[in-house]
Amino acid sequence: MGTSEESAAGVPQVGPGIRRLRRALDLTLADVAARAGVSAPFLSQVENGRSRPSMGSLQRIADALDTTAVQLLASADPPKPVDVVRGGSASVGEGEGDREARMRPLVRGHQRLHALEFTGDHDWGREYRHRNDEILYVADGSAEVEADGSVYRLDRGDTLYCAAELPHRWRPLEQGTRVLVVGIADGVRVTDERGR
């Protein structure tokens, strides 16, 4: 059973969160559209729930708003103390055929942790840097990860830990690869015993 923030297919409606953040930053539709490389009419349709962005468009919109696609997806649902995400739940996609890139939230809402499942292609040219720690776990197939200047091959069952603020990027090495990314949400401030 879905909420009013989800479509019939279960895809989170990110539009209201985009609009709230855009307005909080005192930006116009045209400002964000230009920064994101999308048209203002398309952005308006996204904000009003009449269109859904692809993974690439969602990331470019997030970049234009100085946030992440994960945070935009999280803002689509209110936090819940217990939430079951079914295996067949909807995902955000881009491309077509066997190499179609898909991203499915495994934790919904604005929670203290995020978890995403990625299948298909992934943009090797895009480098990530997060405020908090994260792990990449290869559930199926194999992936290549570049972190802290080194390249690692991960096979099924392998996990790579990535410390906060460490630049990293990854890509699947074979068809059918499924990567789970789990981390502490960017909105959470974590300190260790040393007070960092």
Side-chain angles (χ1 to χ4, degrees), residues 31-166:
D31 292 337
V32 175
R35 289 180 184 181
V38 300
S39 71
F42 171 71
L43 183 57
S44 176
Q45 289 177 345
V46 168
E47 284 190 359
N48 291 303
R50 293 191 304 271
S51 186
R52 283 185 188 56
S54 66
M55 272 182 15
S57 294
L58 182 62
Q59 188 59 61
R60 288 190 308 275
I61 292 167
D63 289 345
L65 295 169
D66 197 28
T67 189
T68 66
V70 172
Q71 293 297 353
L72 290 178
L73 285 168
S75 71
D77 291 314
K80 301 174 190 171
V82 175
D83 187 25
V84 175
V85 179
R86 301 290 180 194
S89 65
S91 56
V92 178
E94 184 168 79
E96 45 189 72
D98 293 337
R99 301 299 294 178
E100 179 183 22
R102 308 271 330 149
M103 175 179 67
R104 182 172 70 100
L106 302 177
V107 174
R108 294 182 291 201
H110 191 70
Q111 306 290 8
R112 283 177 243 154
L113 112 92
H114 68 258
L116 301 164
E117 175 187 64
F118 291 91
T119 55
D121 277 341
H122 192 72
D123 184 5
W124 178 251
R126 181 170 187 81
E127 190 173 79
Y128 297 92
R129 182 185 301 238
H130 304 287
R131 178 179 179 173
N132 294 310
D133 300 353
E134 121 179 326
I135 62 166
L136 285 80
Y137 170 76
V138 178
D140 290 307
S142 60
E144 182 176 56
V145 182
E146 182 180 331
D148 201 25
S150 296
V151 176
Y152 305 90
R153 179 189 169 98
L154 302 179
D155 293 309
R156 184 174 188 231
D158 292 345
T159 301
L160 179 130
Y161 164 81
C162 196
E165 299 295 335
L166 190 68

